[in-house]
Amino acid sequence: MLVFTQDKKQLSELKEKSFKLEKDIQTLFENNLENIAGLQFIKSEFKIKNSRIDTLAFDKETQAFVIIEYKREKNDGVVDQGISYLNLMLENKADFIVEYNETQPKPLKRKEIEWTQSRVIFVSPYFNEYQKQSSNFKDLGIELWEIKQYENGVVIINPIKKTKSAPSIKQIQTNDNSEISKVARSIVVYTEEDHLQGKPEEIKELYETYKNAILNLAFNIETEPKKLYIAFKENKKNIADIVILKKGLKIFINKKKEELDDPKHLLKDISALGHWGNGDYEVIVDNTQHLEYIMSLVKQAL
C-alpha cells in the first residue's frame, strides 16, 4: 500500500514505521477501541486458567465477548490459537461474566449474553497468505486485522474480509471432541443467505434493490449480517438495519428521537418500544414507491 500526503499538486510518499513492541499496538488499540472497532473495553491482560488474553472487549450490538490478540511478527498459529481461545471462553463463561461485572458500572446478566456470537480478533502489521487462507471460513469467528503506522502520525487499520466463496468450517471432517468441532457447533457467523433463506423471490429482489441503494449512498458502506438483522455500516458505525420479512422489509434508521427530518412522516417512532435494529425510527416496505425518499432519510445517518 502506498500512502501519500498532498501539498497543492505534489504528492509525498509517507514511509511506514514499524512497531517496536506488541504492547505499542495493544496500547493504541485499547485507547481507541470504541473508535476503531465499536467495542467496549473490559480488561487488559485478562488471566484465566493458564492463559493470558491481551484485550478482553464486549460488543454491545451482538451482546458478545470479543478477545483481541496482537502480533508484531509473522506467526502461523493464529487460527489454532483463536480456536483455543474460543473454547476457553465457552468452557469458562462465568469467569468472563464476573470480569465484566467487576469492571463495568452496569452489571451483565447471563441471559443477556449471546455466546454464539463470540469472536477473536488478531491484530498485526502483516498476515501471510497461509494465515489468510486458513481463517477464510464464513462461519468461523476469527478475524484478521492489519495495522500499519506511517510518518506524520498516520495509522491505517484494515480488517481482512473473508471471500464470497469462503467455505463453511463444518465441511471439515474432524473428531467430534476436537476443539475445532466444538467451536463449529457453538459459534454462529450469520450471512445474508441465512436471512434470505425461505423468502419469496420478490422479497429477495426487493432487498437487493434497497441494499444497493444504501450502498450507493457512500463508497465505504458495508453490510454486516447479525443474528436478527442485516446491518449497514460506514466505518463501523451503524447507519441502517434491515430485517427481511416474508412479505416485505423492515428498515431501521440509526437516528435518535427527534433527530430525523421526516417531512412526510413516513417512519414510525419506536423509541419507547423494544426493537431489534439500531436507532429510533422504522418503516416497513413491500415495494419501491418511496425508495428515493427513504434513501434521503438514511443519508441523514451518515
Side-chain angles (χ1 to χ4, degrees), residues 29-30 33-34 37-46 53-60 62-70 89 96 99-100 103-104 108 113 115 117-121:
F29 243 74
E30 290 181 348
L33 199 53
E34 180 69 33
L39 299 176
Q40 178 182 359
F41 174 76
I42 306 300
K43 179 76 171 181
S44 181
E45 311 296 338
F46 175 48
I53 292 170
D54 288 344
T55 303
L56 178 62
F58 191 78
D59 188 335
K60 290 184 284 188
T62 61
Q63 288 295 106
F65 284 101
V66 180
I67 292 171
I68 306 176
E69 288 291 307
Y70 309 93
M89 183 189 301
F96 284 81
E99 188 62 42
Y100 183 101
T103 58
Q104 305 304 305
L108 189 66
I113 304 169
W115 296 103
Q117 297 295 281
S118 305
R119 56 194 170 109
V120 176
I121 297 174

Side-chain angles (χ1 to χ4, degrees), residues 99-302:
E99 188 62 42
Y100 183 101
N101 290 340
E102 287 183 348
T103 58
Q104 305 304 305
K106 184 178 179 181
L108 189 66
K109 297 179 181 179
R110 182 184 296 270
K111 65 180 181 180
E112 295 175 329
I113 304 169
E114 187 60 69
W115 296 103
T116 64
Q117 297 295 281
S118 305
R119 56 194 170 109
V120 176
I121 297 174
F122 287 97
V123 182
S124 175
Y126 178 85
F127 292 103
N128 60 39
E129 287 304 313
Y130 172 79
Q131 292 171 316
K132 294 176 184 178
Q133 190 63 38
S134 62
S135 63
N136 187 40
F137 292 94
K138 64 182 180 181
D139 49 0
L140 181 63
I142 296 175
E143 301 175 11
L144 307 182
W145 289 35
E146 284 186 337
I147 181 170
K148 296 183 183 296
Q149 65 175 353
Y150 296 83
E151 298 172 317
N152 296 349
V154 174
V155 176
I156 294 178
I157 299 172
N158 177 39
I160 298 174
K161 299 181 182 300
K162 298 179 188 292
T163 62
K164 291 184 178 180
S165 59
S168 168
I169 192 68
K170 296 179 177 64
Q171 294 173 331
I172 296 180
Q173 299 297 319
T174 59
N175 186 306
D176 285 342
N177 292 321
S178 68
E179 286 193 326
I180 194 168
S181 293
K182 292 177 183 177
V183 167
R185 291 194 297 267
S186 303
I187 303 298
V188 180
V189 179
Y190 293 93
T191 66
E192 284 182 300
E193 289 72 24
D194 294 325
H195 289 273
L196 291 167
Q197 188 174 9
K199 301 300 190 298
E201 288 302 317
E202 59 269 22
I203 298 302
K204 293 179 181 180
E205 291 183 9
L206 185 67
Y207 168 70
E208 287 296 324
T209 300
Y210 275 87
K211 168 189 172 181
N212 291 330
I214 295 175
L215 294 178
N216 286 332
L217 293 176
F219 76 93
N220 55 347
I221 297 176
E222 299 179 338
T223 59
E224 197 171 293
K226 303 296 182 182
K227 181 178 180 179
L228 301 174
Y229 55 83
I230 298 172
F232 289 79
K233 297 190 173 187
E234 181 191 34
N235 296 327
K236 292 297 176 180
K237 171 194 171 187
N238 274 76
I239 58 173
D241 306 300
I242 294 182
V243 177
I244 303 177
L245 309 172
K246 289 187 176 181
K247 295 184 178 180
L249 307 174
K250 182 180 289 187
I251 303 173
F252 299 93
I253 296 181
N254 193 16
K255 296 290 286 184
K256 295 299 182 182
K257 183 178 180 179
E258 298 181 354
E259 289 183 355
L260 188 71
D261 182 15
D262 178 17
K264 294 185 179 181
H265 303 289
L266 186 64
L267 272 68
K268 179 181 178 182
D269 179 355
I270 55 171
S271 57
L273 304 174
H275 56 280
W276 290 349
N278 297 274
D280 291 338
Y281 294 92
E282 75 168 26
V283 60
I284 296 177
V285 298
D286 57 11
N287 57 56
T288 59
Q289 179 182 354
H290 300 291
L291 176 62
E292 290 188 11
Y293 178 72
I294 293 173
M295 289 306 105
S296 72
L297 302 181
V298 174
K299 197 168 185 179
Q300 294 179 39
L302 293 175

Side-chain angles (χ1 to χ4, degrees), residues 45-53 84-85 87-96 99 179:
E45 311 296 338
F46 175 48
K47 295 179 181 179
I48 178 169
K49 303 299 180 182
N50 295 321
S51 299
R52 178 186 56 78
I53 292 170
S84 294
Y85 275 137
N87 269 308
L88 182 69
M89 183 189 301
L90 296 171
E91 291 175 357
N92 299 277
K93 296 176 181 177
D95 295 270
F96 284 81
E99 188 62 42
E179 286 193 326

